[in-house]
Amino acid sequence: MELLIGAWNYFISKQDLMIIVLREHVNLVLWATLLTILIGVPLGILIARTQKVRDIVLGSVSVLYTIPILAFFGFLIPIMGIGSTPALVALVIYGLLPVIRNSCVGITQVHPMVKEAARGMGTNNWQLLFKVEIPLAFPVIFAGIRTALVMNFSLATYAVFIGAGGMGRIIMQGIRTFNTSMLLAGILMVVITTVLLERIIGYVDVRIQKRFSLGK
Amino acid sequence: MTREISVELQKVSKLYGQDKVVDEVSFTVEKGEIFVLIGPSGCGKTTTLKMINQLIPHTSGNILVNGIDVAELDAVELRRSIGYVIQYIGLLPHLTIQENIAFVLKLTKQSKKMQKEKAEELIETVGLPTNYLTRYPRELSGGQQQRVGVARALAANPDILLMDEPFGAVDPLTREQLQNELLRLQETIRKTIVFVTHDIQEAFKVGSRIGILKQGKLVCLGTPMEIVKTDDEFVKSFIGQGALFEVLDTIEVSRVLEKEVPLVSENEKVDRTADILSGWDNVFVVNSDSKCLGYIPLNTLEPDGSFSKGQIISLPASSTPDISVKFAVEKMLWEGRTWLPIVDEKDGFKGIVLFRSCADLLAGDRG
Ligand SMILES: Nc1ncnc2c1ncn2[C@@H]1O[C@H](COP(=O)(O)OP(=O)(O)OP(=O)(O)O)[C@@H](O)[C@H]1O
Ligand SMILES: [Mg+2]
């Protein structure tokens, strides 16, 4: 209990810092997720067309996924130095797998009869993609984005190791200076924001599933 | 008047590798008719149908739609100009019924207002309430979804409809209802319809002409009557014996109606020497409104041809001219008589159907 009060007092006294690290964190995650979507969704849709390319791409992305993120940073520093760019790159790569995989699965699972009906009514390739395939795949694609976002949000805590700031800063400093109040404040902040994020996106997800599952 | 041809296949084939799944099929579909393609599973019905709107490109031969070779048309435009109804999952699950019906209009960028109006008009055409427009396909029964499928195919006002087992996924009762609705609708819209089914009863019911496919080849082509009279063993076994009777269901009794019936008004005498009496056992008594009061067997008449009211035997239950021959035959068998009086809705006497004429219909060219 004392610990908690200490953490709370620390939090209040360093409000400005807290807001700064939160902003760094959110910024990093949002940019990373945006880039992940921009790269991952089109790539996933593209590879849905051919089985062979699909196996190659999904295979190689899965391999990248198994590398621990700290090792990844170590690998990126010689190439990009430190700062937010390598952190961004690392997060994007981590987020790609669920987004690519779900986009691909979402598109391939659209029933061939539905596509045929749409083509029979005279959709061209783009109309088929944007008016039929993507809307029908959307709940699955969104689930992939959700996974990437939540994952990136917690992974971004490590960004401090590469000098990209974020909430990890508070935790790191807390550990280094043996300041338990600071450490606890950092941990609680990460936990609470993550839970909050999950709640919000979970709510959106439910809305989307509800809206789209009506059809199936 | 020369008949207009809407769809024509000239020696059309489809090869998958070495497999000839459609083999030099030729037929013409006249404007406004329902042409049925039928055959066992895997004989190439769907493939043939999809080649018409080029969902499947043909390997050789020519396909003409309204006189133009489809090879010269843009496939997307061609499909937009032809209505397409498929079995089962034909509706787009993520769109409301209104969006489904107006889908083609949206593709061709018609105004929202026009899309809405057309959807409202068409959902009524197929007999569904307009408040269904905001529902999703999953919230409709199979039969209702099929109706929406038909409405959607009509949205761009095409003059040709392709229907691939459109009523295949519904129970027999709903199916019959949908068939009846299609026929009723066709009375007013007069589309050219190419209809695929594997149900011979359905083929006889809706088809003006029927083409039978066997392993990609068109083995028989003709009206239901012509089809049942074919000697081809495959065709016979495919149709089955029951179909002989079924085909009578497609013919209105008015086609075998005897109109030259001996009549007498209630106050007259029968002229026993009249030619018209030959072959008849009874005369039929009509009043001044041409209502039939009943009949009198010739052998109960007075020698001078006169009769009293009491001698008139009232008619057995009569039927209207729009019943099918099959129905008439069943009714005669049921009542154990060889003739059936036919009256119009206002009870006016139209004539008599003889059991013999019904049998002759089938025997016709067989004998
Ligand atoms: N893409 C394809 N590649 C190879 N063979 C195919 C392909 N599509 C269809 N076929 C074959 O072509 C033949 C005709 O198929 P089609 O779908 O036209 O049959 P159908 O008469 O509609 O049968 P059903 O009554 O079962 O619907 C079948 O033997 C089928 O296996
Ligand atoms: Mg088929």
Side-chain angles (χ1 to χ4, degrees):
Chain A
M1 200 59 208
E2 260 167 55
L3 277 176
L4 278 182
I5 294 169
W8 176 249
N9 286 338
Y10 180 84
F11 187 85
I12 298 293
S13 61
K14 292 282 171 73
Q15 256 186 35
D16 293 349
L17 177 65
M18 293 300 169
I19 290 175
I20 290 171
V21 294
L22 186 64
R23 199 180 282 155
E24 281 170 359
H25 200 97
V26 169
N27 245 332
L28 180 61
V29 171
L30 283 187
W31 279 109
T33 311
L34 190 69
L35 282 175
T36 310
I37 294 171
L38 287 180
I39 300 168
V41 174
L43 200 60
I45 291 171
L46 211 66
I47 64 170
R49 308 283 164 202
T50 42
Q51 179 79 45
K52 233 186 199 152
V53 181
R54 190 185 320 164
D55 293 345
I56 294 171
V57 174
L58 284 181
S60 39
V61 178
S62 314
V63 170
L64 285 177
Y65 199 62
T66 58
I67 306 173
I69 192 154
L70 285 180
F72 215 87
F73 285 154
F75 178 70
L76 285 176
I77 291 172
I79 308 172
M80 300 183 175
I82 57 169
S84 44
T85 316
L88 199 64
V89 171
L91 290 189
V92 166
I93 288 173
Y94 272 81
L96 274 180
L97 180 68
V99 173
I100 293 180
R101 190 191 45 211
N102 279 42
S103 305
C104 176
V105 168
I107 294 287
T108 37
Q109 65 154 35
V110 174
H111 203 288
M113 292 273 278
V114 172
K115 286 194 268 185
E116 177 136 273
R119 288 214 303 134
M121 281 182 292
T123 51
N124 57 36
N125 290 337
W126 288 110
Q127 288 170 326
L128 184 66
L129 183 64
F130 283 104
K131 292 199 192 309
V132 179
E133 293 184 287
I134 291 180
L136 281 173
F138 191 66
V140 182
I141 297 178
F142 185 79
I145 294 173
R146 175 187 177 172
T147 310
L149 180 59
V150 172
M151 195 177 64
N152 278 345
F153 196 82
S154 59
L155 277 181
T157 317
Y158 291 99
V160 66
F161 287 112
I162 203 167
M167 292 190 287
R169 257 165 69 180
I170 309 290
I171 299 176
M172 271 293 276
Q173 242 168 46
I175 294 173
R176 245 188 241 142
T177 58
F178 299 101
N179 183 342
T180 336
S181 300
M182 189 180 188
L183 176 60
L184 194 60
I187 293 173
L188 283 179
M189 197 170 159
V190 171
V191 169
I192 291 168
T193 47
T194 308
V195 168
L196 221 77
L197 177 73
E198 284 218 286
R199 274 291 160 91
I200 295 169
I201 198 168
Y203 175 75
V204 176
D205 204 359
V206 167
R207 296 299 300 257
I208 286 175
Q209 303 296 341
K210 220 182 200 163
R211 162 71 184 77
F212 283 87
S213 67
L214 262 179
K216 290 199 197 132
Chain B
M1 194 188 91
T2 55
R3 304 245 174 136
E4 247 182 281
I5 288 168
S6 287
V7 177
E8 180 166 10
L9 271 69
Q10 300 168 339
K11 295 200 171 190
V12 173
S13 299
K14 175 69 194 179
L15 274 82
Y16 283 116
Q18 295 295 309
D19 279 352
K20 223 173 194 182
V21 298
V22 175
D23 192 355
E24 303 217 331
V25 166
S26 302
F27 59 81
T28 58
V29 184
E30 285 164 14
K31 196 174 166 72
E33 80 166 325
I34 301 183
F35 183 90
V36 176
L37 277 173
I38 192 169
S41 189
C43 67
K45 306 180 291 291
T46 298
T47 308
T48 306
L49 194 74
K50 285 186 193 163
M51 287 192 295
I52 297 176
N53 69 2
Q54 291 286 290
L55 273 177
I56 296 178
H58 53 298
T59 312
S60 63
N62 295 312
I63 299 173
L64 308 182
V65 170
N66 291 325
I68 304 170
D69 195 325
V70 294
E72 288 162 22
L73 295 168
D74 175 55
V76 168
E77 291 299 325
L78 174 73
R79 284 178 213 135
R80 285 180 188 167
S81 72
I82 295 178
Y84 184 48
V85 186
I86 54 175
Q87 176 182 347
Y88 214 42
I89 333 183
L91 300 182
L92 301 176
H94 61 301
L95 300 181
T96 62
I97 299 307
Q98 175 173 323
E99 289 165 332
N100 262 288
I101 296 179
F103 192 73
V104 191
L105 302 178
K106 195 175 176 192
L107 292 181
T108 53
K109 305 200 164 59
Q110 309 284 338
S111 72
K112 283 251 158 56
K113 183 163 167 277
M114 150 106 176
Q115 293 179 26
K116 187 163 190 287
E117 283 170 4
K118 196 73 192 175
E120 280 167 359
E121 173 199 325
L122 284 170
I123 200 161
E124 276 178 29
T125 307
V126 296
L128 291 176
T130 42
N131 61 347
Y132 278 29
L133 285 173
T134 53
R135 291 199 186 183
Y136 286 88
R138 191 171 89 158
E139 301 170 305
L140 265 58
S141 75
Q144 290 166 341
Q145 290 188 30
Q146 289 298 356
R147 289 194 180 98
V148 174
V150 174
R152 184 178 63 179
L154 293 172
N157 202 19
D159 45 30
I160 300 170
L161 289 184
L162 306 179
M163 306 180 103
D164 192 354
E165 305 204 28
F167 311 140
V170 294
D171 62 275
L173 236 113
T174 311
R175 174 189 290 214
E176 193 167 333
Q177 197 184 348
L178 289 170
Q179 289 164 351
N180 290 334
E181 281 172 23
L182 176 70
L183 290 174
R184 187 178 44 77
L185 188 61
Q186 173 71 346
E187 299 269 305
T188 51
I189 59 178
R190 286 275 151 226
K191 304 286 180 189
T192 306
I193 299 175
V194 186
F195 190 107
V196 164
T197 179
H198 58 248
D199 176 356
I200 190 77
Q201 228 141 307
E202 181 165 79
F204 282 145
K205 179 156 186 175
V206 303
S208 47
R209 283 187 311 135
I210 296 168
I212 299 182
L213 283 170
K214 174 196 180 186
Q215 291 170 5
K217 287 196 177 68
L218 191 66
V219 290
C220 189
L221 180 73
T223 62
M225 267 320 244
E226 287 162 356
I227 295 275
V228 292
K229 289 174 183 172
T230 318
D231 278 331
D232 186 272
E233 276 311 314
F234 170 79
V235 174
K236 274 187 170 169
S237 70
F238 181 73
I239 297 173
Q241 223 169 25
L244 224 53
F245 202 48
E246 268 331 304
V247 77
L248 292 180
D249 205 23
T250 68
I251 301 167
E252 269 193 12
V253 82
S254 51
R255 252 187 67 183
V256 289
L257 188 64
E258 301 287 342
K259 296 189 181 102
E260 306 271 293
V261 176
L263 295 176
V264 61
S265 19
E266 50 188 331
N267 309 316
E268 282 174 9
K269 288 182 187 173
V270 179
D271 177 5
R272 305 197 71 142
T273 62
D275 288 344
I276 196 168
L277 287 187
S278 72
W280 292 88
D281 299 329
N282 306 305
V283 287
F284 295 85
V285 186
V286 288
N287 68 11
S288 49
D289 297 336
S290 91
K291 280 213 176 70
C292 188
L293 304 174
Y295 65 98
I296 301 172
L298 288 175
N299 54 16
T300 66
L301 285 175
E302 302 299 329
D304 67 346
S306 63
F307 57 91
S308 69
K309 281 232 166 77
Q311 286 172 280
I312 302 175
I313 305 171
S314 55
L315 284 179
S318 52
S319 298
T320 49
D322 57 357
I323 62 164
S324 72
V325 174
K326 178 185 168 192
F327 185 82
V329 169
E330 279 170 348
K331 196 156 179 174
M332 284 186 267
L333 290 172
W334 177 246
E335 289 176 359
R337 59 176 71 244
T338 57
W339 55 272
L340 184 75
I342 299 294
V343 300
D344 62 23
E345 305 82 41
K346 298 190 194 85
D347 264 2
F349 188 65
K350 303 302 279 186
I352 295 290
V353 173
L354 297 172
F355 194 83
R356 185 174 6 102
S357 335
C358 297
D360 283 350
L361 208 53
L362 283 179
D365 334 334
R366 290 202 152 204

